[in-house]
């Protein structure tokens, strides 16, 4: 049994390593879709800590994604030096902050904002918590959209451009790399970094789930009053869940900014938050394999459907708008899955057993 698991793990590792090269043969656009899917997996793992483990419905999670992206954008672009003469005097060659400095800063800033969001919502549950977190997400987006006057910090709706790409061990990810005759495009290099980050996040999240903290979160999720009666400090545990989840969002936001090279408030709308929650629900709330599956499917599906919606639009002589048709196909797929698999595509087997026993 153990040998079988090792063989499966090795085959999966080889498949993940070779996967971008297979996609690259069809064009870099497909590798880019895989990169975005990995980014959404990272976001979903972070939100799963808040929603899946602690049972706190957060509809403003995209705010932490935005905070991480803007932190990276401000520290790795010429915007601050172009706007403020004092910063220009201190850094005449531009900020060019190293990756190893920016990403921890983005994680810490997002984590602090997560705790700040969690503090006033400790007494709220269910729909009320969802409404407050939704409002927080929109407030952050509006701030990003309007902080261009009287002092231009975020450049408002124009966004921040010329963001430096990732640079690790002297390798700039904006250029392609050739190793022993094998060509690695920029998007392929990002794929490997994001894949490593996702694997690390899964390990951290899994260890958290099995720890005393994870069990405390799940006790709060199932019955907060009973958890408090057992001596669990529900206030601190909730704040920790918000902070940990936000940290994941900040890290993924910083890599998003580096990957895109440009960010604006339009990338962090309420729809993005809803999509991330939908990924968790679609895959299976609180179960890591299900969360990863839901994120990959829902992140890749809209892009793949671009190639389906186009021909369908041509068949109807342009009567159907491709974007609307694509959204309709996504909604239809989600409704079908939710009707057939109400607990998600890959729900937790332990949770399923307990439900069967209760029945």
């Amino acid at each position: 049994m153990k040998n079988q698991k090792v063989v499966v793990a090795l085959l999966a590792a080889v498949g993940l390593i070779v996967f971008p090269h297979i996609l690259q043969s069809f064009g870099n656009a497909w590798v880019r879709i895989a990169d975005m899917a990995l980014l959404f997996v990272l976001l979903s793992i972070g939100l799963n800590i808040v929603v899946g483990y602690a049972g706190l419905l957060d509809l403003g999670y995209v705010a932490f994604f935005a905070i991480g992206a803007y932190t990276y954008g401000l520290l790795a672009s010429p915007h601050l030096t172009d706007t403020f003469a004092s910063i220009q005097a201190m850094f005449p060659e531009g900020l060019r902050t190293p990756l190893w400095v920016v990403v921890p800063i983005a994680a810490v800033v997002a984590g602090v904002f997560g705790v700040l969001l969690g503090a006033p919502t400790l007494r709220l549950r269910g729909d009320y918590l969802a409404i407050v977190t939704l409002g927080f997400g929109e407030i952050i987006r509006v701030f990003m959209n309007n902080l261009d006057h009287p002092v231009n910090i975020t450049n408002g709706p124009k966004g921040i451009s010329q963001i430096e790409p990732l640079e690790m061990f002297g390798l700039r990810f904006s250029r392609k790399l050739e190793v022993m005759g094998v060509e690695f495009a920029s998007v392929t290099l990002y794929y490997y970094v994001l894949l490593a980050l996702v694997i690390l996040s899964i390990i951290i999240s899994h260890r958290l789930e099995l720890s005393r903290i994870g069990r405390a979160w799940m006790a709060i999720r199932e019955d907060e009053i009973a958890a408090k009666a057992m001596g669990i400090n529900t206030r601190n545990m909730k704040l920790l869940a918000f902070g940990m989840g936000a940290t994941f969002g900040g890290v993924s936001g910083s890599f998003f900014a580096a990957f895109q090279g440009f960010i604006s408030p339009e990338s962090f709308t309420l729809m993005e938050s809803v999509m991330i929650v939908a990924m968790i629900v679609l895959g299976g709330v609180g179960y890591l394999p299900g969360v990863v599956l839901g994120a990959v499917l829902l992140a890749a599906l809209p892009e793949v459907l671009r190639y389906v919606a186009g021909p369908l639009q041509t068949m109807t002589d342009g009567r159907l708008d491709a974007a609307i048709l694509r959204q309709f196909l996504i909604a239809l797929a989600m409704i079908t899955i939710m009707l057939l698999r109400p607990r998600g595509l890959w729900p937790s087997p332990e949770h399923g057993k307990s439900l069967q026993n209760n029945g």
Side-chain angles (χ1 to χ4, degrees):
M1 191 70 178
K2 191 177 283 185
N3 290 338
Q4 283 182 340
K5 286 183 178 179
V6 171
V7 171
V8 169
L10 286 172
L11 287 173
V14 171
L16 288 169
I17 290 167
V18 175
F19 186 59
H21 295 284
I22 297 169
L23 290 178
Q24 206 171 321
S25 62
F26 297 100
N28 285 340
W30 288 95
V31 188
R32 190 177 180 84
I33 291 170
D35 292 346
M36 291 306 296
L38 287 172
L39 263 173
F40 276 104
V41 168
L42 187 60
L43 277 171
S44 299
I45 291 169
L47 184 58
N48 185 57
I49 290 173
V50 184
V51 178
Y53 293 166
L56 305 167
L57 186 55
D58 186 352
L59 288 182
Y61 190 70
V62 77
F64 310 118
F65 188 44
I67 288 165
Y70 269 91
T71 302
Y72 186 96
L74 291 171
L75 293 176
S77 76
H79 175 71
L80 288 178
T81 51
D82 291 349
T83 307
F84 302 99
S86 56
I87 297 176
Q88 173 70 50
M90 290 168 66
F91 302 95
E93 295 181 5
L95 281 171
R96 295 184 178 275
T97 316
L99 174 73
W100 315 111
V101 176
V102 181
V103 173
I105 290 173
V108 169
V109 171
V112 168
F113 271 93
V115 173
L116 290 175
L117 167 65
T121 61
L122 290 173
R123 294 180 179 274
L124 300 176
R125 297 178 197 168
D127 299 342
Y128 300 102
L129 178 62
I131 291 166
V132 171
T133 53
L134 185 152
F136 177 78
E138 282 299 286
I139 286 167
I140 293 294
R141 187 185 63 80
V142 170
F143 260 96
M144 300 302 184
N145 210 28
N146 290 281
L147 279 178
D148 56 343
H149 61 276
V151 180
N152 187 5
I153 297 172
T154 63
N155 210 28
K158 295 176 186 175
I160 298 173
S161 58
Q162 300 177 49
I163 298 172
E164 291 283 321
L166 286 185
E167 187 172 343
M168 297 173 69
F169 311 113
L171 175 66
R172 283 182 69 82
F173 282 49
S174 56
R175 306 180 192 131
K176 63 183 180 183
L177 177 69
E178 194 168 319
V179 180
M180 293 187 293
V182 180
E183 188 179 285
F184 295 85
S186 173
V187 284
T188 305
L189 296 174
Y190 273 105
Y191 170 88
Y192 288 123
V193 172
L194 290 169
L195 179 63
L197 196 63
V198 164
I199 292 169
L200 178 64
S201 302
I202 289 170
I203 293 168
I204 292 169
S205 187
H206 182 60
R207 296 306 301 169
L208 273 172
E209 182 184 358
L210 299 177
S211 68
R212 289 179 64 187
I213 293 170
R215 292 197 297 272
W217 283 336
M218 287 170 204
I220 293 168
R221 179 189 69 194
E222 297 302 326
D223 192 328
E224 189 178 339
I225 295 169
K228 194 178 286 186
M230 286 191 297
I232 294 171
N233 190 327
T234 55
R235 183 196 64 185
N236 289 356
M237 287 295 113
K238 282 184 177 182
L239 288 177
L240 185 60
F242 273 113
M244 285 293 297
T247 301
F248 278 80
V251 171
S252 52
S254 60
F255 278 89
F256 172 76
F259 179 63
Q260 292 286 89
F262 169 78
I263 50 170
S264 74
E266 292 302 310
S267 302
F268 311 106
T269 59
L270 171 63
M271 192 60 200
E272 296 298 319
S273 270
V274 173
M275 281 290 280
I276 303 164
V277 174
M279 288 170 185
I280 294 173
V281 174
L282 180 72
V285 179
Y287 189 52
L288 272 175
V291 168
V292 172
L293 177 65
V296 169
L297 286 178
L298 212 50
L301 189 64
E303 303 303 324
V304 173
L305 284 177
R306 286 183 193 275
Y307 298 92
V308 178
L312 285 174
Q313 188 189 27
T314 308
M315 285 167 59
T316 57
D317 297 324
R319 292 191 191 94
L320 287 173
D321 182 72
I324 294 171
L325 183 61
R326 199 159 48 92
Q327 292 296 328
F328 170 73
L329 291 171
I330 293 166
L332 190 65
M334 285 188 66
I335 290 167
T336 305
I337 290 167
M338 284 294 101
L339 287 172
L340 298 175
R341 306 277 295 180
R343 288 180 49 237
L345 288 171
W346 196 347
S348 169
E350 287 80 9
H351 195 225
K353 284 175 189 172
S354 67
L355 284 176
Q356 287 169 12
N357 292 336
N358 290 336

